[in-house]
Amino acid sequence: MAADAHSLWATLAWGDQGYGDEFVKGVATTLFISFSSYAIGASIGMLGAWAKLCPVRSLNRAGEVYTTVVRSLPELLLIFLIFYLGTPALARLLILLHLADEGLQINPFFAVIAALGLIYGAYLTDVLRGGIQAVPKGQIEAAKAFGMHGTRRFTRIIFPQMIRFAVPGLGNQWLNITKDSALVSVVAQVNDIMSVGRSAANSTKHFIFYLSATAAVFMVVSAVSMVVFSRLEKRANRGVRRA
Amino acid sequence: MKFDPVYMFTIVMPQLLWAVPLTLFLTFGSSFIGNMLAVPVALARISPNPLLSLPARLFIFTMRGTPLLIQLYFVYYGLGQLIPGWMMRGFPFLRDGLWYALFAFSINTAGYTGEILRGAILAVPHGEIEAARAFGMSRWQVFRRVTLPRAVRICLPAMSSETILLLKATSLASLVTVYEVMGTATTIRVDTFRVYDTLIGAGIVYFILVFGLTRVLNWLEQRLNRDRMPISTSAPKPAAA
C-alpha cells in the first residue's frame, strides 16, 4: 500500500510522465474562464440593473424576463442551450452580416465563456440592482441639489455606495462562477481543471485520488477568494461607522 | 437541424413529463435527508468542543467550496469503486446511479443548510431559551420544542431558495446515468439529433417546475409564519369613536 501510494503521488510529476503540469495549466484555464465570464457577467449585470431600474416600462419588462428565465433554469441546461443554440445562431448572424466567411465556427472556448457570462449576467443583475436600490434616496437628491448631472451622480454617489452594498453578493457569485466553470467540462474539452482531473481519473482509474486532488484545487481557490473578498468588503466599508 | 414546435410538444414533452416524478423524487428525497443531516451538522458546528466543531467546519467548507459535479463524480466513481464486486452483484440498487446521486445531493444539502441553520440557531432570541429553561425543560426539550422550531422559521426563506437551487442541481444526475428530465432530454437529443426541440422542451419543463415549487414554498413560508404576519387589512375596522 505504501509503495502504491508513493507511485500515486509520482503520477502528479511535472512533464509528460505525470499530470502535474496539466493540473497547473488546468487551474490557469479555469481561472481564466471564470475571470472572463465574470467580467462579461458584470457588464451584462450593470446593463440589466439599469434596464430594471430605468423609467422605460418595456426595458423593465425585458430585464425581468431575462433574470427570471435564467434564474429558473438549471445551469447545466443553460450551458447546453447557449452552446448548441446560441453559438450557431451567432455564427449565422455574423455570416449574414458579412462580418465573417461562410463556414465560420465559433471557438468552443469562447462559447463556454459567453455561456457562463450570460448566466451570471442574470445573477449579477439582481445583486447590482439591490446595491443601487440600497443607496439612500436623500443622497441622490442631495447630489441633484448640488447640480450634478446623471453620469457624475452615478460615478460619485451611486457607484461607490452601490459597490459597498453589493460586495457580499458579488463575492458569492464569484465563488459560484468558479464552481460552475466545472460544468463546461461536460460540453466542451477546454482543458480546465475539471476536464484534467476527470481524464486523469479515467485513464489511471484512481478516481478517489484524482477527484480529491481536483476538489482540493477548488477549495484553495474558494479559500483565497473568500479572503480577498473579505478584504474588499472592509475596503468598501472604510469610512462607514460600525455599529 | 431545425426547431419544430409540433414535434417538441407531441413527441418530446410527453417523455420529459414522465421523467418529472424522478426529478421531484431526487429533489424532495435529498432535501429531506439533507435537512435532517443539517441539524447535527449545525449543532456540531456551534459546539464549543473542537473535536465536534472542526470536523463540521471542514465538512461545510468541503461541500460549499467544491463543485457539486466533483462531489457527484466522487460518490459515483470513487465510492462506487470501493464497493466490492460481490456486493454489487448481491444488491442491484448499488449499480443504479440514482442512489449515488441521491447520496451526493443529500450530503451537499447538509453542508449548505447546516451553515444556514447554524446562523438561525444563533439568532433565536435568548429570552425564549431562558423562558423554556425557567419552565424546567431539559436541554434536549428546549432544543426540540423552542430552539429548533424557531430557528427553522428564521431560516425558512434561505432554506426554500436552497431547495430551488437543489431542484436545478438535480439536472447533474443526468451525468451519472439517471434518466430524470435532463437525462431524458439528453437521451432523446443523442438518439434523434434534435438539439433544439429537446433542450427547449427541457427548459419549459424546468421553468414550470421551478415556478410551481416557488409558489408552494412561499405558501409554506406564510403558513408557518402566520402568527407573525401583519393583521389582515380586510378585517373590519373598529368604528371611529
Side-chain angles (χ1 to χ4, degrees), chain B residues 232-240:
Chain B
S232 163
T233 45
S234 60
K237 281 184 186 142

Side-chain angles (χ1 to χ4, degrees), chain B residues 124-197:
Chain B
V124 173
H126 204 64
E128 295 184 17
I129 296 167
E130 276 175 357
R133 285 228 186 97
F135 270 110
M137 291 187 202
S138 67
R139 278 182 63 173
W140 167 242
Q141 278 177 326
V142 173
F143 181 71
R144 187 170 55 88
R145 290 184 185 165
V146 180
T147 317
L148 186 63
R150 192 74 170 80
V152 168
R153 281 184 182 190
I154 291 172
C155 67
L156 214 55
M159 270 168 90
S160 44
S161 60
E162 218 39 68
T163 312
I164 302 287
L165 290 179
L166 180 63
L167 170 63
K168 296 195 289 167
T170 57
S171 62
L172 290 182
S174 64
L175 301 174
V176 293
T177 70
V178 178
Y179 295 103
E180 36 67 81
V181 175
M182 189 70 201
T184 310
T186 306
T187 314
I188 307 174
R189 176 168 63 82
V190 172
D191 286 350
T192 62
F193 291 109
R194 284 183 167 271
V195 178
Y196 300 111
D197 310 292

